[in-house]
Amino acid sequence: MTTREYMLGNVAIARGLLEGGVQVAAGYPGTPSSEIIDTLASREDQDYYIEWSVNEKVAMEVAVGAAWAGVRSVVTMKHVGLNVAADPFMTLAYAGTKGGLIVIVADDPSCHSSQNEQDTRRYAQFALVPCFDPSTPQEAKDMLPYAFEFSEKFKIPVIFRPTTRISHGKSDIELGEIPTDKPAPYFEKLLDRWVMLPKNARIRHTHLLSIQQPIEDALAESPWNSLELKPDANFGVISAGIASVYAKEALQELGIEASFLKIGTYPVPKKLVLELLETVNAVLVFEELEPVVEEQVKMIAQEAGLPIPIMGKTGGFVPREGELDISTFLEALKKVFDLDVEPESGKVSLELAPRPPALCAGCSHRATFYSMRKVFGKDAVYPSDIGCYTLGIQSGTVETTLCMGSSISIASGLYHAGEKRPICCSIGDSTFFHTGMNSLLNAVFNKANITVTILDNRITAMTGHQPNPGVGFTVTGEPTVEVSLAELCRAMGAGSVVVVNPYNLEETQEAFKAAKDFEGTSVVIAKQPCVISVKRAGIRRVPYIVDPEKCEGCKQCVKFGCPAIEFDEENNCAVITALCSGCGVCAQICKFEAIREVKK
């Protein structure tokens, strides 16, 4: 009797790791990957170690240590996180593993919650490691035990690459057994493997190249690639990952006969590609993001002397940016084969109301930005960073966002370039621990005259409220050391470090004034728990209302930007809605004392 369960894609991935016998899991939160570690951490029957690491590089190295001890390990991150972990990852491909090691990197086509659309399959090509590209949540779950075995067979790490729709889609999943017997860890002192001195690295590079063909041959025989040849079809479709589901569905709906190759692993299965190419007159390659498959197919065709048209992203038949869907495949078919058809699914149109992301009602970041802008003014320069505070761009204090931890370094660069205007950058608590610490140390060491604002909301809020070293508990809720941001900044040499409550505007603005006047690198830590955490903790602050008799209709409170404040044009009066969290900042902004607490 099989067991089925309706679950989120990332929950299915966590289940696949359990069925694969994972013993150590580490990661850094990043949408769309965060729920994998959260799901593993929420289980009561844990027989594995799990942690949120301070960044992806550290998480990668934790997983490597476990794999070198002979146990199965996994590291999770979003696609840009692999840039942070690329240093150990690239050399890890040379050293290899002992226990199975899976590097889960979730890609985000269309930048739903990311700063770029980079394609992790390029990293797999770059590092010469296998990559698994699931097309459904069920396949994602089923791939992972196989990926562990594959990693151990070739003693090499493997990339597992879900995309947003795999991670955040829901599906009915058939479950498998979770093994109970797991190997005991033992670190074997293989110096020629684990010590990448040049003489060892040269040998390991040759070895890595030598196993590429066996890896390709083994993956070609795996169940994740499938070829359907249609005797009467004169053209073929090659598709990969979740795009293959869209393409397959559209072809079936249209009733078009086409030979079809679904690719779920990399290196691409050359034998299957060649087999398809030899039976058709033209090929359409349909894949998300980069033309990874398309380039390989063209190379295979050229090597085989098959001059058939191969169409995809080059030539503009398939978009190179954004997510694909059935309608995208339909448009590609129309362009390539001059078809005049439209599937029923392509006629479905649903217009969603625009709802741009914004800081929550009562978010302390808004109050911090308000005070920052009041003190530094509109002419100051405001580098910022990656986190929910990036949503504060409308406050006029988010003027750069490049990557995690970059705000302080960019501020330093601006100062040393000769920028004469005041520079006040902002970074979140988790991002500071991630990669901001080195930047602050560098700024202090090189005497950058800047102000660093650490927006300490006591959690990693943007990705789902994961803990960081400043909160005092681990991913499993176990109490641990609570690192003091203030003491840490002082230990790194910052000459002026002040902790403020951003809900207290006067106190915060005085701190910013002192920081602005300070010669050298100053730090203001705006410390206030995330409003969502406060609600979850059962804390209910007294909400505020507007006294219509005192309101002058100046809209200063509305301009503050809190979603809880609206304006009644008919009565020329501000209104505070039920969204009010009771922070009280709007009452401090009002010059007419028209905003007060609701009477109990």
Side-chain angles (χ1 to χ4, degrees):
M1 178 179 176
T2 60
T3 302
R4 305 186 70 87
E5 189 172 328
Y6 187 64
M7 58 177 61
L8 188 74
N10 276 345
V11 177
I13 290 171
R15 174 75 190 195
L17 293 170
L18 294 174
E19 293 179 9
V22 67
Q23 287 175 264
V24 171
Y28 186 80
T31 306
S33 70
S34 304
E35 295 86 358
I36 301 170
I37 292 291
D38 286 337
T39 301
L40 292 173
S42 67
R43 290 182 66 93
E44 295 181 355
D45 57 342
Q46 293 177 22
D47 61 349
Y48 46 86
Y49 172 76
I50 186 166
E51 72 170 43
W52 280 124
S53 306
V54 296
N55 65 34
E56 295 86 352
K57 177 178 181 291
V58 173
M60 176 79 74
E61 291 156 352
V62 169
V64 170
W68 285 0
V71 306
R72 292 183 171 182
S73 65
V74 63
V75 55
T76 72
M77 63 194 72
K78 67 184 298 179
H79 59 302
V80 289
L82 189 51
N83 299 332
V84 180
D87 195 357
F89 176 69
M90 294 301 294
T91 304
L92 175 64
Y94 284 26
T97 72
K98 181 180 176 184
L101 174 59
I102 299 176
V103 181
I104 297 181
V105 187
D107 282 1
D108 188 20
S110 284
C111 296
H112 290 289
S113 54
S114 308
Q115 61 268 46
N116 70 33
E117 289 186 289
Q118 71 186 47
D119 190 328
T120 297
R121 296 178 299 171
R122 292 293 196 201
Y123 260 115
Q125 289 180 315
F126 190 21
L128 298 174
V129 304
C131 177
F132 291 83
D133 190 9
S135 62
T136 66
Q138 177 73 60
E139 191 172 76
K141 195 275 293 179
D142 294 340
M143 268 185 173
L144 287 159
Y146 182 94
F148 271 131
E149 293 177 5
F150 196 88
S151 173
E152 290 173 349
K153 178 179 180 180
F154 289 95
K155 301 185 186 308
I156 190 170
V158 301
I159 287 180
F160 180 83
R161 180 235 186 195
T163 54
T164 303
R165 297 301 165 187
I166 297 293
S167 292
H168 287 168
K170 280 194 169 183
S171 181
D172 191 30
I173 303 295
E174 183 175 330
L175 306 183
E177 296 293 326
I178 297 177
T180 54
D181 293 333
K182 297 180 179 179
Y186 179 76
F187 177 72
E188 196 174 358
K189 298 181 180 179
L190 305 174
L191 303 189
D192 59 335
R193 294 277 308 280
W194 314 142
V195 183
M196 279 300 104
L197 293 171
K199 71 180 184 70
N200 293 335
R202 294 186 197 107
I203 294 172
R204 293 302 299 177
H205 190 193
T206 301
H207 168 77
L208 179 60
L209 294 170
S210 73
I211 62 174
Q212 294 303 302
Q213 190 60 53
I215 285 174
E216 181 187 320
D217 292 342
L219 289 175
E221 300 298 323
S222 75
W224 319 117
N225 303 301
S226 61
L227 174 62
E228 299 176 39
L229 294 178
K230 299 290 179 67
D232 299 328
N234 58 10
F235 77 94
V237 173
I238 301 177
S239 192
I242 194 169
S244 65
V245 177
Y246 306 145
K248 191 77 174 179
E249 186 174 337
L251 287 172
Q252 290 175 346
E253 191 171 332
L254 292 168
I256 294 178
E257 289 291 313
S259 292
F260 193 90
L261 173 57
K262 169 191 169 284
I263 292 178
T265 64
Y266 306 87
V268 299
K270 289 182 182 176
K271 292 177 182 176
L272 297 181
V273 172
L274 191 57
E275 195 172 344
L276 181 138
L277 293 178
E278 289 172 340
T279 62
V280 296
N281 298 324
V283 169
L284 171 63
V285 181
F286 192 66
E287 59 186 320
E288 283 190 321
L289 298 180
E290 292 295 289
V292 173
V293 172
E294 182 182 337
E295 291 171 356
Q296 293 298 307
V297 171
K298 287 181 175 177
M299 289 175 59
I300 294 168
Q302 185 177 29
E303 290 174 358
L306 296 170
I308 65 173
I310 297 168
M311 293 154 286
K313 294 178 186 294
T314 51
F317 298 102
V318 179
R320 193 166 177 169
E321 69 282 0
E323 286 187 302
L324 303 182
D325 54 24
I326 293 176
S327 63
T328 319
F329 182 74
L330 174 64
E331 290 302 317
L333 273 182
K334 287 180 176 178
K335 291 178 184 176
V336 172
F337 302 110
D338 195 26
L339 298 177
D340 186 21
V341 291
E342 185 173 359
E344 289 300 315
S345 56
K347 299 175 183 176
V348 176
S349 177
L350 178 63
E351 290 292 333
L352 297 177
R355 195 178 65 173
L359 294 172
C360 299
C363 176
S364 62
H365 298 338
R366 182 182 293 103
T368 304
F369 285 141
Y370 177 84
S371 292
M372 183 189 295
R373 177 86 169 185
K374 276 284 185 183
V375 173
F376 281 85
K378 66 178 181 180
D379 290 332
V381 182
Y382 299 101
S384 192
D385 227 293
I386 304 288
C388 53
Y389 44 91
T390 313
L391 302 177
I393 188 170
Q394 294 178 346
S395 67
T397 51
V398 177
E399 295 179 334
T400 73
T401 299
L402 181 64
C403 64
M404 294 281 285
S406 65
S407 59
I408 304 174
S409 305
I410 289 176
S412 297
L414 288 166
Y415 170 75
H416 290 301
E419 176 59 58
K420 300 301 182 186
R421 290 170 291 180
I423 301 171
C424 182
C425 64
S426 54
I427 184 170
D429 48 346
S430 181
T431 311
F432 181 76
F433 287 120
H434 178 276
T435 38
M437 290 167 50
N438 286 349
S439 298
L440 178 64
L441 188 62
N442 184 69
V444 171
F445 173 60
N446 289 298
K447 301 181 178 181
N449 187 14
I450 61 174
T451 295
V452 176
T453 307
I454 302 178
L455 302 155
D456 180 11
N457 63 358
R458 320 296 301 140
I459 205 72
T460 311
M462 185 71 162
T463 51
H465 292 79
Q466 292 82 14
N468 63 55
V471 302
F473 58 89
T474 68
V475 65
T476 57
E478 182 182 358
T480 186
V481 61
E482 180 178 336
V483 177
S484 166
L485 284 167
E487 292 180 15
L488 184 60
C489 294
R490 292 186 184 107
M492 287 193 288
S496 172
V497 180
V498 180
V499 181
V500 298
N501 173 9
Y503 285 166
N504 187 326
L505 296 184
E506 183 178 357
E507 175 195 14
T508 305
Q509 289 171 22
E510 286 301 317
F512 274 126
K513 289 176 184 175
K516 184 181 178 184
D517 293 338
F518 183 81
E519 287 294 327
T521 306
S522 57
V523 178
V524 175
I525 301 171
K527 185 176 180 180
Q528 183 63 231
C530 170
V531 288
I532 296 176
S533 299
V534 170
K535 288 181 180 177
R536 289 176 178 173
I539 299 172
R540 296 288 182 268
R541 301 189 183 100
V542 179
Y544 283 72
I545 60 172
V546 177
D547 184 343
E549 299 296 325
K550 293 184 177 180
C551 181
E552 297 289 333
C554 69
K555 297 185 179 180
Q556 286 302 308
C557 57
V558 178
K559 293 175 183 176
F560 178 55
C562 179
I565 306 176
E566 299 176 350
F567 193 76
D568 182 349
E569 296 287 352
E570 183 176 348
N571 296 305
N572 193 40
C573 178
V575 177
I576 296 179
T577 71
L579 291 176
C580 180
S581 65
C583 72
V585 174
C586 58
Q588 298 172 61
I589 293 173
C590 181
K591 300 176 181 177
F592 307 102
E593 298 183 347
I595 300 177
R596 59 172 173 77
E597 287 185 329
V598 175
K599 293 181 179 177
K600 297 181 180 177

